[in-house]
Amino acid sequence: MNISYRWLKEYIDLDYTPEEVATFLTQIGLEVGSMEEVETIKGGLRGLVVGEILNCEQLPESDHLSKTNVNVGNGEILSIVCGAQNVATGQKVVVATVGTTLYDGENEFKIKKSKIRGEASEGMICAEDEIGFGISHDGIMVLDPSAVPGTPASKYFRIESDFILEVDLTPNRIDSASHIGIARDLAAYLKQKHPISYHRPSVDDFKVDNHSLEIPVEVQNLAACPRYSGVTISNLVVKESPEWLKNKLKLIGVRPINNIVDATNFVLFETGQPLHAFDAAEIEGDKIVVRTLDAGAKFVTLDGTEREMHPDDLMICNASSGMCIAGVFGGLHSGVKETTTSIFLESACFDSVYIRKTARRHTLNTDASFRFERGTDPNGTIYALKRAALLIKEVAGGEISSEIVDVYPNPVADFKVDVTFASIKRLIGVDLGKERIKQILDALEIRIEAETETGLSLLVPPYRVDVKRDVDVIEEILRIYGYNNIELPTQINSSLQYSVKPNPTKLRNLIAEMLTAQGFNEIWSNSLNKLSYYENNLVHSIDSTVKLFNPLSNDLGSMRQTLLYGGLESIAHNTNRKNPDLRLYEFGNCYFFNGSSMKENPLRNYREEEHLALFVTGDKEAANWSNPANKTSFFLLKSYAENILKRMGFSVINLKSEGFSNELINEGIQYLINGKKLVEFGVVSGKTLKTFSIDNPVYFADFSMDILFVELKNNKVVFAELPKYPEVRRDLALLLDKTVQFSQLRDLAFRSERKLLQSVDLFDVYEGKGIPEGKKSYAISFILRDDEKTLNDKQIEKIMQKLVSTYERELGAQLR
């Protein structure tokens, strides 16, 4: 939120520089993200002066250029060639002298002495758009005849410079979303140093001029609208705002519109209370009704968009139809127009939940909804209404034509909070003393209802929507006392802790270091996914999806059930930016809804699992002069996955492996341990890749880290000395049915020979000439070793014959 330093000083007497004020605000929790010196017109009109055209003659051989002599003060006469059609002798104009810099948006150009059609030109007579004063370029800007030549344009137009403080408000500090709110908090802090106070402009001059335009108000939904105040103003004139009002708004980045709208915006940024002005002529039936519309009702908002209303969207209606989405956005026809002569001015307090849901449903974010979503002061509506009414009378004329209508059946009382001195000392760590505490509370406008030896009973004003507990009050005391005033302790307390075995953090780091060393990059994707990913999804059902009640957008409507979609979004993002060769990994949690209806413990409806995902796509290595591009493959991913398992101490041979395929993964393998899925990997299906516009194959592995951690607890590490005796390798070439998998051969081998067989590997697969239809040839190597003695030929031959017999009997294999 932008705060004007000069505007702020209208509510608090400050002798501090903008830099010091920024420091104070940051110290009390209103962090100033940036500070910038700004002007109502870029460049501040430096180098521009008021000039008087002494004579004007048309240049020979030109139908639009004129030669002028211009008096720019101090007896200096400049010769200037001008191309405007409306230039004439005797006019008072704005002159940009040689060396002046003019701005056109982000572009700038400097005025130089030049020759035009042989005539010297020593400056430029400016149109209003050329100096940033307007948008018209119909001709030069002609000033009032009373303007004095030589007067700096900045002085003539009363150009103001200011410092803008960008305050990064946290959601709980909506009470400071205004200049008076900032002044109030700043005064509470500075009051600890010296006597100071803030003040609000008086509204004592408010009075009803007549009762010619009484408009009653009916609030049908008091839960959504606890308070609704309004007043009518008639016989006003809608026109451009005075310069002082436009300048104030422009300095904080608000575009002036007209005097009525500008006045309501001014009061919004002054007090923090949103207001809305309705054209009284558009209020059918001369009645305001605060209610909801039927589901599916259509309403056209100020931006010309027709919106379908939800039955919980609160509306400001006339006797027959909606005029405004309450607290969010105005209607196309009910707002102030140039022809408006009478208005109904609204100042209300709406329920924050209603407004937040409506704003999200319609993807609208306005200055009003920003404040209502976080909670406005229900007791501040009348002051803001009177302030705005007086300001409108000042800038637009008119008469206050009704009594203030104030529907407030259930006034909001101050929040009652009890706090003990012992708790204050315990949480702050310093004994501030009772008097200091009471002084700070008084500065914060927190009233003391009762006091005992042990503590205080307090009344917190409703505009502090975030202060409802004793710890909130203690935080406020500490904030104003100053975090920097708390001395650092001279003693450090610590306790011995024993980490969980195995240590999950250590294992994650071990895997991450291993993958990074192999060329992987770690990614962190959003834990919120598109809900559409899970619609008609047979693998991750939408019924198991954790859905958000109030999503920020349609792309963030559910919590992820898998890391796959976040990784594919990253791959698509990189591929579209000419980075298709990727190896990525991500640790992250996945979330599931169990679909039960346990009311006594709703948390059991949900579960959370930690997963590790690997993604491999594109080329394994970039092509160069000596090596062609080498594409990644399923087996490359398989090697990465198995290396992780081996590094974690799992024996891949002892894991049960199963092939699988589903709508997300084609040609996949999963490894199980004790009946639980430890990891699955495979090729992402073409249908899934098409959703993300990815052309290259993507290989994906998904580890269940929870199962990995649990099984590692039961996985004892056994150390053995290095073997003393040599190992022996023997190979077999087997003719097998195409349906036989290598895993079957490996499992049968280890069942046949448990003691001496060390490893089984497949080093060649052949199908083609010489191989019968429906058959394939596997070349398999076997490593044998006895840890107690050297193997002899007889032992080796016996083991190999046993293996061959097993393969022939179980799989119908034939030796080649």
Side-chain angles (χ1 to χ4, degrees):
M1 185 189 68
N2 290 334
I3 291 294
S4 161
Y5 173 72
R6 291 181 60 175
W7 193 352
L8 181 66
K9 291 176 69 175
E10 294 179 13
Y11 312 110
I12 181 172
D13 296 326
L14 291 173
D15 293 327
Y16 298 99
T17 65
E19 291 81 3
E20 291 172 322
V21 171
T23 300
F24 295 151
L25 291 176
T26 299
Q27 288 176 352
I28 59 177
L30 301 173
E31 183 177 359
V32 176
S34 65
M35 185 177 71
E36 180 184 5
E37 185 176 7
V38 297
E39 294 156 319
T40 50
I41 292 180
K42 189 172 183 179
L45 301 185
R46 283 183 287 274
L48 283 87
V49 297
V50 174
E52 180 181 9
I53 300 178
L54 300 179
N55 55 63
C56 177
E57 300 174 357
Q58 188 167 348
L59 279 180
E61 299 181 3
S62 174
D63 59 354
H64 69 284
L65 293 178
S66 300
K67 176 185 177 182
T68 66
N69 291 322
V70 183
N71 174 18
V72 293
N74 298 323
E76 186 177 4
I77 308 298
L78 299 180
S79 176
I80 300 176
V81 176
C82 179
Q85 297 297 315
N86 66 330
V87 63
T89 301
Q91 290 175 334
K92 301 292 178 64
V93 293
V94 179
V95 177
T97 57
V98 173
T100 299
T101 299
L102 298 181
Y103 299 89
D104 179 15
E106 295 301 318
N107 300 319
E108 60 180 57
F109 61 95
K110 184 174 287 189
I111 301 298
K112 300 177 181 178
K113 187 174 181 179
S114 60
K115 277 196 173 186
I116 301 175
R117 298 286 180 93
E119 294 290 341
S121 185
E122 301 173 299
M124 185 172 84
I125 303 175
C126 301
E128 64 176 47
D129 67 324
E130 293 169 330
I131 63 174
F133 205 78
I135 59 173
S136 174
H137 195 72
D138 295 336
I140 59 171
M141 193 175 189
V142 180
L143 307 180
D144 188 91
S146 62
V148 179
T151 304
S154 58
K155 182 178 179 180
Y156 178 83
F157 290 111
R158 298 178 183 176
I159 300 302
E160 298 177 349
S161 65
D162 197 357
F163 286 89
I164 297 301
L165 310 178
E166 185 181 353
V167 180
D168 299 329
L169 284 181
T170 52
N172 63 312
R173 291 308 312 277
I174 196 61
D175 61 289
S176 294
S178 65
H179 285 76
I180 288 179
I182 294 288
R184 179 172 53 210
D185 230 34
L186 193 59
Y189 176 72
L190 295 177
K191 191 176 287 187
Q192 311 309 310
K193 302 176 182 292
H194 54 80
I196 192 173
S197 62
Y198 78 98
H199 51 272
R200 301 193 303 179
S202 173
V203 293
D204 293 342
D205 291 337
F206 179 88
K207 66 181 179 66
V208 178
D209 297 310
N210 57 60
H211 295 82
S212 62
L213 189 58
E214 297 285 352
I215 297 181
V217 172
E218 178 188 351
V219 179
Q220 296 183 359
N221 191 336
L222 290 171
C225 179
R227 187 174 193 179
Y228 192 92
S229 311
V231 71
T232 63
I233 305 174
S234 58
N235 298 322
L236 51 77
V237 178
V238 178
K239 57 184 179 180
E240 188 177 354
S241 295
E243 291 302 321
W244 71 266
L245 180 54
K246 292 195 296 184
N247 287 343
K248 267 187 164 56
L249 295 177
K250 285 193 287 187
L251 282 170
I252 61 172
V254 177
R255 180 175 63 88
I257 298 174
N258 59 52
N259 52 353
I260 307 300
V261 176
D262 293 349
T264 59
N265 281 335
F266 176 89
V267 175
L268 165 65
F269 289 102
E270 179 183 59
T271 67
Q273 172 63 44
L275 303 109
H276 190 73
F278 296 95
D279 187 337
E282 300 291 340
I283 304 177
E284 297 179 15
D286 293 332
K287 182 179 181 181
I288 295 287
V289 183
V290 183
R291 63 183 178 91
T292 56
L293 299 181
D294 295 333
K298 306 296 184 182
F299 180 71
V300 181
T301 47
L302 194 59
D303 57 358
T305 301
E306 184 179 75
R307 303 179 188 274
E308 184 174 316
M309 306 312 295
H310 187 276
D312 289 336
D313 291 337
L314 190 67
M315 299 289 294
I316 310 300
C317 306
N318 54 36
S320 60
S321 60
M323 298 190 298
C324 171
I325 303 178
V328 180
F329 209 30
L332 180 62
H333 304 295
S334 62
V336 174
K337 302 175 279 293
E338 290 184 0
T339 57
T340 299
T341 58
S342 299
I343 64 169
F344 177 87
L345 186 61
E346 167 196 282
S347 179
C349 176
F350 300 113
D351 179 73
S352 59
V353 176
Y354 270 85
I355 302 304
R356 182 165 59 249
K357 288 184 176 180
T358 294
R360 294 296 175 271
R361 273 192 289 267
H362 299 286
T363 61
L364 291 170
N365 183 24
T366 61
D367 289 320
S369 69
F370 176 83
R371 287 158 177 80
F372 283 127
E373 286 176 24
R374 290 156 177 80
T376 57
D377 181 11
N379 297 330
T381 60
I382 298 298
Y383 172 81
L385 187 65
K386 290 181 177 180
R387 173 72 170 142
L390 290 172
L391 184 57
I392 288 172
K393 286 187 66 177
E394 178 186 337
V395 300
E399 302 162 342
I400 296 175
S401 303
S402 72
E403 297 288 345
I404 289 178
V405 180
D406 188 22
V407 181
Y408 195 22
N410 303 307
V412 178
D414 292 345
F415 308 130
K416 292 188 176 183
V417 181
D418 293 328
V419 63
T420 64
F421 296 119
S423 295
I424 295 172
K425 180 180 178 181
R426 177 175 59 84
L427 290 180
I428 293 180
V430 174
D431 186 0
L432 301 182
K434 295 182 181 179
E435 292 304 316
R436 185 65 176 273
I437 291 171
K438 290 190 288 185
Q439 180 186 358
I440 292 174
L441 292 172
D442 178 67
L444 288 167
E445 299 182 349
I446 297 176
R447 293 187 293 123
I448 299 174
E449 184 180 35
E451 179 180 357
T452 66
E453 284 296 320
T454 58
L456 301 169
S457 293
L458 306 173
L459 296 174
V460 181
Y463 67 77
R464 287 309 308 270
V465 294
D466 62 322
V467 182
K468 297 181 179 179
R469 304 171 299 165
D470 59 340
V471 289
D472 299 328
V473 172
I474 295 170
E475 181 185 1
E476 289 298 294
I477 294 171
L478 175 57
R479 189 171 62 83
I480 298 304
Y481 175 73
Y483 295 102
N484 293 339
N485 294 329
I486 303 299
E487 296 181 1
L488 293 175
T490 57
Q491 179 179 320
I492 298 177
N493 298 322
S494 64
S495 59
L496 294 176
Q497 293 183 342
Y498 298 92
S499 61
V500 178
K501 300 293 185 181
N503 187 328
T505 301
K506 185 176 180 180
L507 293 177
R508 289 189 204 99
N509 291 338
L510 191 64
I511 294 172
E513 290 172 0
M514 175 182 171
L515 290 172
T516 302
Q518 293 178 322
F520 279 77
N521 289 305
E522 184 174 9
I523 60 172
W524 283 3
S525 58
N526 200 327
S527 58
L528 300 178
N529 277 165
K530 294 181 181 178
L531 192 59
S532 59
Y533 289 157
Y534 305 103
E535 294 173 351
N536 303 317
N537 192 322
L538 299 179
V539 181
H540 301 290
S541 168
I542 195 168
D543 295 332
S544 302
T545 304
V546 180
K547 302 170 186 174
L548 272 66
F549 286 118
N550 188 26
L552 294 174
S553 71
N554 293 331
D555 290 346
L556 304 173
S558 66
M559 302 194 75
R560 64 189 177 195
Q561 292 189 58
T562 173
L563 300 179
L564 173 63
Y565 298 123
L568 292 179
E569 288 174 353
S570 297
I571 290 173
H573 180 85
N574 279 271
T575 301
N576 292 337
R577 287 155 180 80
K578 308 301 181 183
N579 184 28
D581 306 328
L582 300 165
R583 277 175 279 187
L584 308 174
Y585 71 93
E586 178 178 12
F587 292 95
N589 290 347
C590 298
Y591 309 88
F592 304 88
F593 176 62
N594 296 329
S596 58
S597 57
M598 291 181 249
K599 295 182 179 179
E600 67 280 359
N601 190 354
L603 290 178
R604 292 183 182 177
N605 290 336
Y606 305 91
R607 77 179 192 277
E608 189 173 334
E609 299 175 1
E610 182 179 353
H611 285 252
L612 163 64
L614 307 185
F615 300 88
V616 178
T617 185
D619 293 340
K620 181 180 177 182
E621 295 177 354
N624 55 49
W625 65 272
S626 62
N627 294 308
N630 186 9
K631 294 288 183 183
T632 56
S633 66
F634 169 84
F635 295 102
L636 178 65
L637 176 70
K638 182 172 182 286
S639 67
Y640 290 136
E642 291 185 348
N643 284 340
I644 291 174
L645 295 175
K646 292 174 184 177
R647 188 66 183 86
M648 292 295 101
F650 292 98
S651 173
V652 177
I653 295 174
N654 295 329
L655 296 175
K656 182 180 180 181
S657 63
E658 294 179 353
F660 78 97
S661 180
N662 55 45
E663 67 173 85
L664 299 181
I665 303 296
N666 293 337
E667 303 176 13
I669 293 177
Q670 54 188 15
Y671 286 148
L672 296 88
I673 184 169
N674 297 325
K676 294 175 288 188
K677 184 166 62 179
L678 184 60
V679 62
E680 65 179 16
F681 48 88
V683 187
V684 180
S685 69
K687 178 182 176 182
T688 304
L689 295 180
K690 187 177 180 180
T691 304
F692 296 86
S693 301
I694 299 174
D695 297 326
N696 288 334
V698 176
Y699 305 94
F700 168 67
D702 182 17
F703 288 81
S704 173
M705 297 303 292
D706 294 332
I707 295 174
L708 186 145
F709 293 148
V710 169
E711 294 300 329
L712 275 178
K713 291 181 181 178
N714 306 321
N715 192 23
K716 295 183 179 179
V717 178
V718 179
F719 293 92
E721 61 179 296
L722 293 173
K724 298 179 180 178
Y725 301 97
E727 56 187 32
V728 176
R729 170 174 169 162
R730 290 292 186 268
D731 298 339
L732 290 178
L734 301 174
L735 188 64
L736 299 157
D737 289 340
K738 277 190 176 181
T739 57
V740 176
Q741 296 182 356
F742 170 69
S743 59
Q744 295 174 267
L745 296 167
R746 184 184 60 196
D747 294 344
L748 282 174
F750 280 107
R751 285 208 301 267
S752 298
E753 178 54 52
R754 299 178 183 274
K755 181 180 178 182
L756 302 181
L757 183 61
Q758 302 297 319
S759 67
V760 180
D761 289 301
L762 176 68
F763 64 88
D764 186 49
V765 179
Y766 176 69
E767 296 179 46
K769 187 177 180 180
I771 302 298
E773 185 73 21
K775 298 288 185 177
K776 62 183 175 182
S777 174
Y778 270 5
I780 306 172
S781 66
F782 302 86
I783 303 298
L784 306 172
R785 188 183 69 242
D786 191 333
D787 292 333
E788 298 179 355
K789 62 181 183 295
T790 301
L791 289 172
N792 56 48
D793 290 340
K794 188 176 181 180
Q795 288 177 293
I796 297 170
E797 186 63 27
K798 182 179 179 181
I799 292 170
M800 296 307 297
Q801 284 296 334
K802 186 178 179 181
L803 289 172
V804 171
S805 299
T806 300
Y807 288 148
E808 290 175 344
R809 182 177 65 254
E810 298 291 337
L811 300 176
Q814 302 176 30
L815 278 177
R816 291 188 66 204

